Amino acid sequence: MLLAVLIANSEGNILVERFNGVPAEERLHWRSFLVKLGVDNLRGVKNEELLVANHKSVYIVYTVLGDVSIFVVGKDEYDELALSEAIFVITSALKDVCGKPPTERLFLDKYGKICLCLDEIVWKGLLENTDKDRIKRLIRLKPPTDF
């Protein structure tokens, strides 16, 4: 199961988080742990260079894309390899939505579409859509129509 997808800025402030199957009382622990992990290890890392960690029998794959850090946490069948595929899909979707590796401002400007992408990629803790074209089709936002 994909337990969490978390995106934070370079200062460690969380921009987006999605938890699946993680009790509410454990979420604070995961937030602080992942942000500390990023602060300790992501300095000087190149865009999309994957780092792997293990904590309490779960796997964590994380990377930097532009000004944001992306963390994916999984257990059981979602080992390092499966999580690296998930993070690849997420980074590809972010680059498509933003047009380039995002700055924090660009990320926040595109926040709605990014949330839609995450919802289409990960559904109830499962990696659902990995095809870039399908994700684009599913997140197409249509302007409101006049009745």
Side-chain angles (χ1 to χ4, degrees):
M1 172 179 260
L2 273 167
L3 295 175
V5 175
L6 189 132
I7 301 174
N9 66 8
S10 54
E11 288 85 40
N13 298 316
I14 297 169
L15 302 173
V16 177
E17 66 180 22
R18 296 283 191 275
F19 285 102
N20 301 294
V22 178
E25 58 273 3
E26 288 183 27
R27 292 180 184 183
L28 180 60
H29 163 75
W30 278 107
R31 285 182 198 110
S32 58
F33 175 77
L34 292 173
V35 167
K36 183 174 177 1
L37 186 68
V39 167
D40 292 345
N41 298 313
L42 288 174
R43 279 207 182 86
V45 173
K46 298 176 192 163
N47 268 353
E48 299 181 66
E49 182 181 338
L50 299 181
L51 291 112
V52 178
N54 195 356
H55 180 68
K56 292 185 178 179
S57 75
V58 299
Y59 302 100
I60 304 158
V61 176
Y62 55 110
T63 189
V64 170
L65 183 66
D67 289 349
V68 298
S69 307
I70 304 165
F71 302 86
V72 182
V73 181
K75 69 176 184 175
D76 301 331
E77 70 274 10
Y78 286 97
D79 59 2
E80 301 99 321
L81 188 59
L83 293 177
S84 64
E85 181 183 347
I87 208 164
F88 174 74
V89 174
I90 291 168
T91 56
S92 296
L94 282 176
K95 287 190 294 188
D96 283 349
V97 168
C98 296
K100 60 181 179 178
T103 61
E104 184 178 355
R105 179 185 173 107
L106 181 58
F107 184 93
L108 293 173
D109 286 344
K110 303 287 185 176
Y111 184 80
K113 276 201 172 192
I114 290 168
C115 288
L116 284 173
C117 281
L118 289 176
D119 291 343
E120 294 301 333
I121 294 168
V122 178
W123 183 75
K124 290 189 177 179
L126 302 173
L127 184 61
E128 182 166 295
N129 291 306
T130 58
D131 181 43
K132 211 156 83 164
D133 295 328
R134 179 170 169 77
I135 293 167
K136 276 185 188 176
R137 211 172 38 253
L138 290 169
I139 66 159
R140 221 175 315 172
L141 291 175
K142 296 180 181 162
T145 55
D146 294 326
F147 292 103

